[in-house]
Amino acid sequence: MKGTTAHILRRAARSLWENLYLNAVATGVIAAALLLMGVYLSVQYNVDRIVRTWNQDVHLSVYFKPDTPEDERFALRDRLAADPRVAAVRYVSEAEAATWLAEHVPDTAPVLAELGDDVLPASIEVTLAPPAADMDAAIASFAEEIRSPVVDSVDFGQQWTERFHAFLSLLKLLGAVLGTLILVAALFLVMNTVHLIVYNRRDELETERLVGATGAFIAVPFIVEGVVHGTLGGGLAAGGLWLVHRLVASRLQEAFGLALAGQLAFLPGSWLLLLSLAGVVLGVGAALVSVQRFLAQAP
Amino acid sequence: MIRLYHLTKTYGDLPALSDVSLHVAKGEFCYVTGPSGAGKTTLLRLIYGAIRPTAGKLLVGGVDVARLPRRRLPALRRNMGIVFQDFKLIPRRTVAENVGLALEVIGTPRELIQRRVAAVLGIVGLRGRGGEYPPTLSGGEQQRVAVARAIVNDPSIVLADEPTGNLDGAMAIEVMEILQAINLRGTTVLVATHDAALMKRFPYRVVRFEHGRKVSDG
Ligand SMILES: Nc1ncnc2c1ncn2[C@@H]1O[C@H](COP(=O)(O)OP(=O)(O)OP(=O)(O)O)[C@@H](O)[C@H]1O
Ligand SMILES: [Mg+2]
């Protein structure tokens, strides 16, 4: 058994060495395909992550009708503060709202001064505790509960979230289509490269067959080669992905400052492992198909 | 050992072998002869299962080769030693590796392969040439490597397609003596050749083909 394993590895090493160029091409093609897959997965992973952190910090603004007495405002504020689903509340009076706007958008200051202090409605800024399950539904129903005669409107960016979610699902669909295309193209390229390796050695394989080699004898070195292609390709892809990650992170940092760049995460190890595994499956699959094709027509 | 019943092989519309019946007994030495294109190589290729007959029945050692599943071909060929007309040596393997291939494919340990190969190279007059590569050898030397590979696994049948085609007189006689010696140990030997002088010098049964038909036998 030890002798057999050594023998198989020797034959595989020799085949790799004698077809170094094509083997490098096969490895490169797998690496490129996995790198593209990895980039796609990274984008998905990070978008999901960022969306999740946004969702954890849900704000509602409850706007009062202008003539609501102060005690009713405070009563609502206290009632909200006592709600277990609420993490924090802050009352913002008309004057505070105007001051905030004047400070943050200086252009509006003269207009506000002319119109008076109570042009903006008073509000309660509510921060929700992260809901357990379906967040959108939880916010919507919570907003519905708050509505009362003194409340003018409850704003939780519903339109914005809906659009953003629609955009996200479009992005995911595009990603899935692109991912599938990449996978099919990679499959095609790898298949053809490995097929070329087998084709290059067909005289030798035919001779082996004619002196009594079994299909397994002929296939096994190619399977080992497939594992090598997949593993090396996976490693190269992981390295390339790391470089891409560093590059994108530093670019984002330049463009948007620390806040966003810090959030960009590298794919977790288990995903990378899965990516390499996909490479091995690709490499071995291509080897099996090519050898099978050869054996089907060998004398 | 080898039994053909009304065997026919056509390529497209052209018959390479037509309605050939032939029995070669175990331990027999038999020539297959005839002009170029008579169907000698076709006959041998049918026997080792590289091609399938169009019609007729073909038994080798009791095995129905025409209906043998592809995965059973290795077992059939491991009992045979084949000298191919075009040698079929692997150029990137040394002489020793080429000869040892017939043992390598059945999982023989390396040390045993080395010993057997050395012995067989001695028999065909290529002692000490195991490290060379086939393209650097002469046609006659390559032919003897092919003969060495065919006998290295002690087969029960040897099929030799023009095994002396590239050899001068003395060398051809040596190769024939090797085949004769193997035959004397009980191996069935089938030699395709059109070397009349050789058949005269080593007189055995001669089966003659013309245009794919058996025209004489005896
Ligand atoms: N693969 C093939 N496709 C088509 N025709 C073939 C094929 N192989 C052989 N033939 C034809 O079958 C006939 C017999 O060929 P074969 O090689 O058996 O002759 P041969 O007796 O071995 O000749 P030679 O003495 O030249 O080796 C020839 O007419 C040849 O052209
Ligand atoms: Mg011939």
Side-chain angles (χ1 to χ4, degrees), chain A residues 207-253:
Chain A
T207 303
E208 289 177 354
R209 191 85 182 130
L210 285 172
V211 299
T214 57
F217 181 93
I218 286 171
V220 157
F222 288 106
I223 292 170
V224 175
E225 283 177 63
V227 172
V228 171
H229 295 157
T231 316
L232 281 183
L236 284 174
L241 211 54
W242 173 247
L243 287 179
V244 170
H245 172 75
R246 291 291 299 273
L247 201 74
V248 170
S250 73
R251 281 286 147 79
L252 281 184
Q253 189 158 0

Side-chain angles (χ1 to χ4, degrees), chain A residues 32-285:
Chain A
L34 293 182
L35 181 61
L36 284 174
M37 286 305 285
V39 168
Y40 159 63
L41 287 177
S42 289
V43 170
Q44 294 280 19
Y45 179 74
N46 277 293
V47 167
D48 278 353
R49 245 175 61 98
I50 290 168
V51 168
R52 218 175 315 125
T53 57
W54 287 347
N55 286 349
Q56 275 165 4
D57 190 26
V58 182
H59 271 288
L60 282 87
S61 300
V62 181
Y63 294 105
F64 288 107
K65 287 181 180 159
D67 48 2
T68 309
E70 228 171 37
D71 56 337
E72 282 193 39
R73 301 180 184 190
F74 291 151
L76 180 59
R77 180 193 64 186
D78 294 344
R79 210 177 75 228
L80 288 174
D83 195 299
R85 290 167 294 179
V86 172
V89 291
R90 191 167 66 87
Y91 173 69
V92 179
S93 68
E94 286 92 341
E96 281 167 337
T99 310
W100 187 90
L101 187 63
E103 266 172 24
H104 284 83
V105 192
D107 287 351
T108 58
V111 184
L112 284 174
E114 204 162 300
L115 289 174
D117 255 359
D118 51 2
V119 64
L120 292 175
S123 65
I124 300 176
E125 298 301 320
V126 183
T127 304
L128 286 182
D134 187 353
M135 199 202 52
D136 292 343
I139 301 170
S141 75
F142 188 80
E144 205 49 54
E145 279 176 42
I146 299 171
R147 285 187 211 289
S148 77
V150 295
V151 171
D152 185 44
S153 68
V154 180
D155 181 1
F156 55 94
Q158 53 269 60
Q159 279 193 335
W160 185 81
T161 31
E162 271 163 30
R163 272 192 218 151
F164 185 68
H165 278 270
F167 172 71
L168 268 190
S169 26
L170 187 72
L171 199 71
K172 280 192 176 160
L173 184 72
L174 268 175
V177 169
L178 212 68
T180 312
L181 278 179
I182 293 170
L183 209 65
V184 169
L187 217 63
F188 179 78
L189 273 177
V190 173
M191 287 286 301
N192 277 288
T193 313
V194 175
H195 186 62
L196 212 58
I197 295 176
V198 173
Y199 182 80
N200 251 7
R201 309 190 49 199
R202 70 194 176 288
D203 287 348
E204 181 180 333
L205 301 178
E206 257 177 46
T207 303
E208 289 177 354
R209 191 85 182 130
L210 285 172
V211 299
T214 57
F217 181 93
I218 286 171
V220 157
F222 288 106
I223 292 170
V224 175
E225 283 177 63
V227 172
V228 171
H229 295 157
T231 316
L232 281 183
L236 284 174
L241 211 54
W242 173 247
L243 287 179
V244 170
H245 172 75
R246 291 291 299 273
L247 201 74
V248 170
S250 73
R251 281 286 147 79
L252 281 184
Q253 189 158 0
E254 274 171 32
F256 299 104
L258 269 169
L260 189 54
Q263 287 194 341
L264 209 62
F266 192 53
L267 282 182
S270 57
W271 289 42
L272 290 176
L273 212 65
L274 227 64
L275 209 61
S276 297
L277 207 68
V280 171
V281 169
L282 203 65
V284 171

Side-chain angles (χ1 to χ4, degrees), chain B residues 161-217:
Chain B
D161 201 348
E162 306 282 2
T164 59
N166 286 276
L167 302 177
D168 57 31
M171 212 61 244
I173 287 167
E174 257 180 59
V175 164
M176 282 306 294
E177 279 168 354
I178 293 166
L179 293 176
Q180 196 172 36
I182 284 176
N183 174 245
L184 285 174
R185 297 211 312 251
T187 302
T188 311
V189 178
L190 199 61
V191 177
T193 183
H194 41 224
D195 188 337
L198 213 64
M199 289 186 274
K200 205 169 210 164
R201 176 155 186 151
F202 297 89
Y204 290 107
R205 175 183 173 192
V206 177
V207 181
R208 188 169 176 79
F209 286 86
E210 271 170 32
H211 303 298
R213 294 188 176 277
K214 193 171 94 171
V215 292
S216 71
D217 187 349

Side-chain angles (χ1 to χ4, degrees), chain B residues 135-158:
Chain B
T136 68
L137 301 182
S138 73
E141 286 165 344
Q142 291 182 32
Q143 191 143 41
R144 282 179 283 149
V145 175
V147 171
R149 186 181 61 198
I151 63 175
V152 75
N153 59 339
D154 271 327
S156 52
I157 301 174
V158 168

Side-chain angles (χ1 to χ4, degrees), chain A residues 7 10-11 14 18-19 201 204 206-215 217 295-299, chain B residues 45 48-50 70-71 73-74 77-78 82 84 88-90 92-93 97 101-102 104-106 110 149:
Chain A
H7 180 245
R10 223 178 8 253
R11 288 179 59 219
R14 177 178 228 162
E18 286 176 351
N19 291 284
R201 309 190 49 199
E204 181 180 333
E206 257 177 46
T207 303
E208 289 177 354
R209 191 85 182 130
L210 285 172
V211 299
T214 57
F217 181 93
L295 286 175
Q297 53 77 52
Chain B
R45 281 165 61 76
Y48 60 79
R70 296 183 70 88
R71 67 193 153 75
L73 284 176
R77 291 171 184 168
R78 286 164 182 203
I82 311 169
F84 302 96
K88 294 213 185 295
L89 300 177
I90 302 171
R92 290 196 289 195
R93 300 279 176 278
E97 285 169 338
L101 190 62
E104 194 184 339
V105 298
I106 54 176
R110 273 224 281 186
R149 186 181 61 198

